[in-house]
Amino acid sequence: MSHLRFYADKIVKVPEMAESISEGTLKQWSKQIGDYVEQDEEIATIETDKIDVAVNAPEAGTIKEFLASEEDTVTVGQDLVKLELGGAPQSGEEEQGNQEPKAPASDEQATSSDPDPSKEDSKSEQDTSVPPPPPQGKKPEPPKQEIKSETSRKEPTRQDPPPSKPSESTKSEPKGSSSPAPYGSREERRVKMNRMRLRIAERLKQSQNTAASLTTFNEVDMSSVMEFRKLYKDEILKKTGIKLGFMSAFARACILAMKDIPAVNASIEGPGGGDTIVYRDYVDISVAVATEKGLVTPVVRNTESLDLVGIESAIADLGKKARDNKLTIEDMAGGTFTISNGGVFGSLMGTPIINLPQTAVLGLHAIKEKPVAVNGKMEIRPMMYLALTYDHRLLDGREAVTFLVKVKEYIEDPRKMLLG
């Protein structure tokens, strides 16, 4: 009895990505034509200037046709995939409908899994095909294949042409090889910038052209906060599963310093470059995270209401989402102040760039042991350079330097944070 199966086709369109994003680049198909996908299973990835957007199947079905190619620019609502709705095809039903009924198996095939004396007969027949051993006194003749191989190795004579050399194409690597050219080959490779890198470049240039950026430096003795971390990191890790780092201490120090210098947490908004100062009673700290595609700045919301462990937990979660390309627009929207830790890469000193419309960014750097004067004596201490880049349109030098000095004081004596 034949089974009739009826399917409906559905066009999967480019989904809504964000209020400010209307197009992206189709980076990769996660499936192939003919693949069956479950509901909400990922079909493709679209790269935008901020995040990667996954295109998921609205219903279960089989992919019939791709309506766009990789690296194409696609817009919201554009047709992307033709999907044949329905459950996964049953292999048994397909075989019954598409294949002719098989002839009954022979007795030999039916008993192939059981020991059968007839197999011994077939083996003996195969053995009889081997030529009998030559009589004694005669040298056995080599098989034809061996004779051919021997003649192919003989030295070339005047009548025989010399063996041809292997062609260059056989020496070269296969076309699909992606191994880089040797250093010094003077080859060039041109790679199109991805949308995120283009957006980062645009934003950084906008910051340079808009803000009156100025950077002030200081150095901080990390002895006390390193001792604090050494004393309690194992206890906190065992109790909460969170690794206690230095970012939470600097975030807390900045929050306390902002109470005295609120303009650090403010911004300039309005037409024509801005004519209004916006002061905030909350602190949303953007944490700079380096990924393979570029620098992203996910935001820790209401950092002023979190303790050190809570800040570390939030930063760890955002860092994992960034490395897994799981950040959303909401994760990166907003932010009132940025902390960038270039010290994890070994940077000794640098000048971070303001993330507009923010007013300031704090740059952390590598910890290096240096001889310093302590109470009139030379001691070796772990020192770190701090850099605060600020928008001089809103922050004066006195305020910026005062803010950075207060951060230094909180880090050099973490007990002061309990008084804030």
Side-chain angles (χ1 to χ4, degrees):
M1 179 179 178
S2 62
H3 297 275
L4 298 178
R5 301 166 67 98
F6 296 95
Y7 297 100
D9 290 342
K10 184 177 183 64
I11 301 298
V12 181
K13 299 180 180 292
V14 177
E16 295 286 341
M17 292 178 278
E19 183 178 352
S20 60
I21 299 177
S22 60
E23 67 176 23
T25 301
L26 179 59
K27 289 304 295 181
Q28 181 180 359
W29 291 110
S30 306
K31 298 293 181 179
Q32 297 179 353
I33 294 177
D35 287 351
Y36 171 77
V37 292
E38 297 283 355
Q39 185 176 3
D40 294 329
E41 188 173 356
E42 184 175 311
I43 299 176
T45 303
I46 297 176
E47 180 186 73
T48 72
D49 55 3
K50 294 181 180 179
I51 59 171
D52 288 350
V53 178
V55 180
N56 299 325
E59 299 181 48
T62 303
I63 296 176
K64 289 188 63 177
E65 183 182 357
F66 291 147
L67 305 178
S69 302
E70 292 183 354
E71 301 302 329
D72 283 356
T73 298
V74 295
T75 58
V76 173
Q78 177 179 334
D79 293 348
L80 200 61
V81 183
K82 181 181 288 187
L83 196 66
E84 184 182 78
L85 303 182
Q90 299 178 5
S91 59
E93 291 183 5
E94 288 186 350
E95 290 178 358
Q96 291 179 1
N98 299 331
Q99 297 182 4
E100 294 292 334
K102 295 183 179 180
S106 63
D107 296 339
E108 184 178 353
Q109 292 175 341
T111 58
S112 61
S113 60
D114 298 329
D116 194 336
S118 62
K119 290 184 179 179
E120 299 298 330
D121 298 337
S122 62
K123 286 185 180 179
S124 61
E125 291 177 1
Q126 293 178 356
D127 294 341
T128 56
S129 63
V130 179
Q136 295 182 357
K138 288 188 178 183
K139 186 176 181 180
E141 295 182 2
K144 293 181 180 180
Q145 292 181 354
E146 294 183 6
I147 295 175
K148 185 177 180 180
S149 62
E150 288 179 2
T151 56
S152 63
R153 291 196 300 268
K154 68 179 181 178
E155 295 294 331
T157 62
R158 293 182 182 178
Q159 291 80 12
D160 297 329
S164 60
K165 295 182 180 180
S167 62
E168 294 297 328
S169 60
T170 59
K171 290 183 179 180
S172 62
E173 296 181 357
K175 293 182 179 180
S177 175
S178 60
S179 58
Y183 186 73
S185 64
R186 296 187 63 80
E187 290 189 6
E188 294 181 352
R189 290 172 299 280
R190 297 179 181 270
V191 181
K192 188 176 180 180
M193 294 174 67
N194 60 51
R195 286 179 171 268
M196 184 179 291
R197 175 55 62 185
L198 286 169
R199 180 60 173 169
I200 290 172
E202 178 186 340
R203 293 274 296 169
L204 293 179
K205 195 57 186 174
Q206 179 188 2
S207 177
Q208 280 187 328
N209 295 339
T210 303
S213 298
L214 190 64
T215 303
T216 182
F217 299 94
N218 215 317
E219 62 178 352
V220 56
D221 185 348
M222 298 289 290
S223 300
S224 295
V225 74
M226 289 177 70
E227 182 182 0
F228 169 80
R229 178 175 178 268
K230 183 179 179 180
L231 285 174
Y232 299 109
K233 66 175 184 177
D234 293 337
E235 179 181 344
I236 292 175
L237 180 62
K238 182 178 179 180
K239 184 177 180 180
T240 65
I242 303 299
K243 293 182 179 180
L244 184 62
F246 298 126
M247 287 290 288
S248 57
F250 278 100
R252 189 63 187 164
C254 290
I255 292 168
L256 295 176
M258 288 173 187
K259 292 183 177 181
D260 296 324
I261 314 294
V264 175
N265 194 44
S267 64
I268 298 177
E269 298 181 7
D275 58 1
T276 304
I277 301 175
V278 179
Y279 292 96
R280 300 178 177 88
D281 297 327
Y282 60 90
V283 182
D284 290 347
I285 294 184
S286 302
V287 182
V289 179
T291 67
E292 294 180 356
K293 294 185 178 180
L295 186 71
V296 295
T297 53
V299 181
V300 180
R301 310 286 177 187
N302 292 106
T303 319
E304 80 286 347
S305 63
L306 301 175
D307 57 16
L308 298 183
V309 177
I311 295 173
E312 289 290 351
S313 177
I315 292 175
D317 291 342
L318 290 173
K320 185 177 186 305
K321 291 179 71 175
R323 289 186 294 271
D324 295 341
N325 292 325
K326 299 297 183 181
L327 287 175
T328 64
I329 293 294
E330 291 74 18
D331 290 329
M332 294 189 292
T336 61
F337 181 77
T338 296
I339 299 179
S340 177
N341 186 6
V344 296
F345 305 110
S347 173
L348 180 63
M349 184 182 293
T351 56
I353 297 180
I354 298 171
N355 183 17
L356 290 180
Q358 299 174 17
T359 299
V361 50
L362 177 67
L364 310 182
H365 299 91
I367 301 172
K368 301 289 185 181
E369 290 189 345
K370 292 176 54 179
V372 294
V374 180
N375 297 325
K377 297 180 181 179
M378 293 296 295
E379 295 186 12
I380 303 297
R381 295 292 183 93
M383 305 298 293
M384 175 194 287
Y385 285 113
L386 302 179
L388 181 73
T389 299
Y390 58 97
D391 191 344
H392 214 328
R393 298 177 302 165
L394 181 57
L395 274 175
D396 293 332
R398 177 188 63 83
E399 295 172 312
V401 171
T402 300
F403 173 84
L404 194 58
V405 169
K406 287 186 174 293
V407 171
K408 167 186 168 71
E409 292 174 351
Y410 283 123
I411 295 299
E412 290 187 338
D413 189 0
R415 295 171 295 184
K416 287 185 177 181
M417 297 188 192
L418 299 175
L419 306 176

